[in-house]
Amino acid sequence: LEEIQLGFDRSKHAFSAIFSRAARETVGMRAGRVVVSLTIAPDGSVTRCELVSSAFGHPELEQKLLRQIRQMNFGAKNVPVYTLPNYPIDYLPS
């Protein structure tokens, strides 16, 4: 789980850019959370990523976030396939 968090931390800039663009295009967008379910293969690739919940109700934002997650790679490890059922991604505007 710690390595997954590190992977998301490395992608923080990309997520921030996605949220910032949506905030510029959406009047009144406030802080919120998106929760995803993802499966990571032993080679580190994301083999499945689905939206569990979103505080935004903004399908374009949510699809961009899912696309970004699907492109992530957590690095190959000698481990079985790992599914994380509820991973939160928070947006806190500056």
Side-chain angles (χ1 to χ4, degrees):
L1 190 55
E2 182 178 326
E3 290 186 29
I4 293 170
Q5 182 61 50
L6 290 172
F8 275 92
D9 288 347
R10 284 191 298 270
S11 296
K12 189 183 291 190
H13 180 73
F15 291 115
S16 178
I18 292 168
F19 278 119
S20 293
R21 175 169 284 151
R24 284 192 305 272
E25 298 170 354
T26 307
V27 176
M29 186 170 138
R30 302 188 192 284
R33 174 177 278 186
V34 172
V35 178
V36 297
S37 171
L38 64 144
T39 300
I40 303 168
D43 69 359
S45 65
V46 176
T47 59
R48 185 186 62 78
C49 180
E50 297 173 356
L51 183 69
V52 174
S53 65
S54 174
F56 299 102
H58 190 307
E60 186 177 341
L61 165 67
E62 294 149 359
Q63 288 306 310
K64 286 180 181 180
L65 291 169
L66 293 176
R67 260 195 309 275
Q68 180 65 37
I69 295 167
R70 289 182 188 118
Q71 293 174 11
M72 294 174 69
N73 190 297
F74 295 90
K77 303 278 187 253
N78 189 16
V79 296
V81 172
Y82 184 75
T83 298
L84 192 59
N86 293 297
Y87 189 85
I89 302 169
D90 293 315
Y91 169 64
L92 304 168
S94 8

